[in-house]
Structure formats: C-alpha cells, structure tokens
Amino acid sequence: GAVVSQHPSWVICKSGTSVKIECRSLDFQATTMFWYRQFPKQSLMLMATSNEGSKATYEQGVEKDKFLINHASLTLSTLTVTSAHPEDSSFYICSAEGTDEYNEQFFGPGTRLTVL
Amino acid sequence: GQQLNQSPQSMFIQEGEDVSMNCTSSSIFNTWLWYKQDPGEGPVLLIALYKAGELTSNGRLTAQFGITRKDSFLNISASIPSDVGIYFCAGPINTGNQFYFGTGTSLTVIP
C-alpha cells in the first residue's frame, strides 16, 4: 500500500514551453501533497505544499506564477512549470501525506525535466 | 528552509564493513525519518523515529532519535553492494508538517 506515482518519468522540452507533471496517490487519499526539486548531487528542496481544494503554500523563493500547483482531487496534484527555461531543468519529486497519526510521507519516483 | 546537517558527506567502504552516519539540526523535530535514494528515483523510507531516545532496527539498519530531538544516527551493519546510494535524514519541525531534508550522505560500497 501507500504507492505514489508520477507522470511523466522524464520529459524534454524546448525553452519557453510549459510542462505539466502529475502526482497520484494510487491506493490512498491524500489531502496534502508536497513538491520537491532536486539538483544533481544535492538534497531535496521543498518547493510547495499542495492542499486539496485550496491554494498551495509556496516556500520562500519559489515563484508561484512560475510553478503552478493544482490539487483538484484527493488523489491527484499537478505541478506545471510555465515558460520553462534551462535553469528549470531538475528532478522533481512529489510526496503524499498518509492518513495515520504520524503523517508519514510517501514519495513518488520523480520526474526528470530537461529544458533545451 | 530548515537546515539538517549530515555527516559524513560521503563514504567509501569495503563490503562487509559497518557504516555510521548522523544528522543534526538546530530545530526540534517531533519525527525523524531516514530515507535512501537510488540514482534517478524517489526516496524510499528506511526507518521512522517518533519518540526522543527511540532506538529502532530494520534488518541491518539501526537508527536512534536523540534525547534532545535535534539529532539522530543511522547505522548499517555488514554492508553489501546494494547499500550504495544517498541517505537522507528528514522530518517536520515541531511547528508544522512540511518535511525538510538533510544534506545527504553518499555511500559507496566496494565489493
């Protein structure tokens, strides 16, 4: 149980285009999901907290107009990188918060974004 | 974001050796988690710690939550090649449920 999927697993796009990444909790409902970004050989950096039915909460320094987050259902959150540029190339990972008392997070396999 | 400092940054060990790594923070954590990340994949939970002073094992892995709730260590006994990867500590600070990740320890096991 507690499986989180991401789609696509990797994507290459031209500079200026927008890319949508999906994060799904497959066998549980998640009112809260999180989006992380990871550059090569670096740690995961929390970008934003995605709450079902409400606006996402962004970490300091993360542009909300650049990284659009939609959490329209209890099993799906999407991250759209708008007008992507080469510096947006990174590994994007989502996680979904479990429903037990410990609020354990379950991570997706990540999406590798390369912007040419 | 909050800073969790891990040490060492990287380790190169012989197969069969024991490994120890730790994680410290200036903030109090009410939960402390250890994850392993293989290249190109998401983190996988290894051990979760919920109480100060708690010592928990998972196979060859043992982790302890510090009494002050500001530190933790992870030990791996009798390392094997598949232990290779990056190990992260993580957890929510006391005031919220946003997870922050440590700086990571890269482990290389030489057969």
Side-chain angles (χ1 to χ4, degrees):
Chain A
V3 178
V4 176
S5 69
Q6 283 185 238
H7 177 79
S9 55
W10 60 271
V11 57
I12 302 173
C13 69
K14 292 182 179 180
S15 184
T17 61
S18 294
V19 175
K20 179 185 285 187
I21 302 171
E22 294 185 349
C23 176
R24 293 181 184 274
S25 56
L26 299 184
D27 50 3
F28 66 105
Q29 293 183 333
T31 56
T32 304
M33 293 184 173
F34 302 89
W35 287 97
Y36 296 83
R37 180 167 55 183
Q38 185 179 33
F39 292 109
K41 297 186 178 182
Q42 293 189 22
S43 185
L44 283 75
M45 296 299 296
L46 179 65
M47 298 175 65
T49 302
S50 173
N51 302 296
E52 188 269 335
S54 64
K55 292 183 179 180
T57 304
Y58 291 81
E59 293 296 298
Q60 189 174 12
V62 178
E63 301 176 59
K64 61 180 181 181
D65 295 330
K66 171 76 172 176
F67 299 98
L68 301 179
I69 292 173
N70 184 286
H71 195 155
S73 78
L74 289 172
T75 59
L76 173 64
S77 175
T78 60
L79 169 68
T80 301
V81 183
T82 62
S83 187
H85 291 283
E87 57 266 30
D88 298 323
S89 299
S90 187
F91 194 51
Y92 292 87
I93 306 173
C94 74
S95 69
E97 187 175 83
T99 55
D100 63 10
E101 61 186 292
Y102 301 114
N103 296 327
E104 183 177 340
Q105 288 190 23
F106 302 96
F107 285 83
T111 296
R112 173 74 60 192
L113 170 63
T114 300
V115 185
L116 303 177
Chain B
Q2 299 298 318
Q3 187 74 16
L4 287 86
N5 298 303
Q6 287 184 245
S7 63
Q9 185 176 25
S10 62
M11 304 177 72
F12 294 82
I13 61 170
Q14 290 288 139
E15 181 177 359
E17 289 184 358
D18 297 341
V19 172
S20 184
M21 59 189 80
N22 63 63
C23 183
T24 60
S25 173
S26 58
S27 300
I28 291 175
F29 280 71
N30 53 21
T31 302
W32 208 293
L33 307 171
W34 284 96
Y35 288 89
K36 177 175 182 275
Q37 185 180 30
D38 292 329
E41 298 183 16
V44 174
L45 182 65
L46 299 175
I47 288 181
L49 302 164
Y50 302 110
K51 298 178 181 178
E54 179 181 356
L55 181 69
T56 297
S57 294
N58 179 9
R60 294 179 295 107
L61 279 62
T62 302
Q64 185 161 30
F65 199 166
I67 291 293
T68 63
R69 294 193 289 156
K70 292 184 177 181
D71 64 300
S72 175
F73 71 75
L74 174 70
N75 289 342
I76 305 173
S77 63
S79 60
I80 59 178
S82 62
D83 290 334
V84 168
I86 302 178
Y87 292 78
F88 291 103
C89 60
I93 61 173
N94 206 32
T95 56
N97 66 348
Q98 287 85 3
F99 271 47
Y100 298 98
F101 276 75
T103 48
T105 293
S106 174
L107 177 63
T108 300
V109 179
I110 303 168

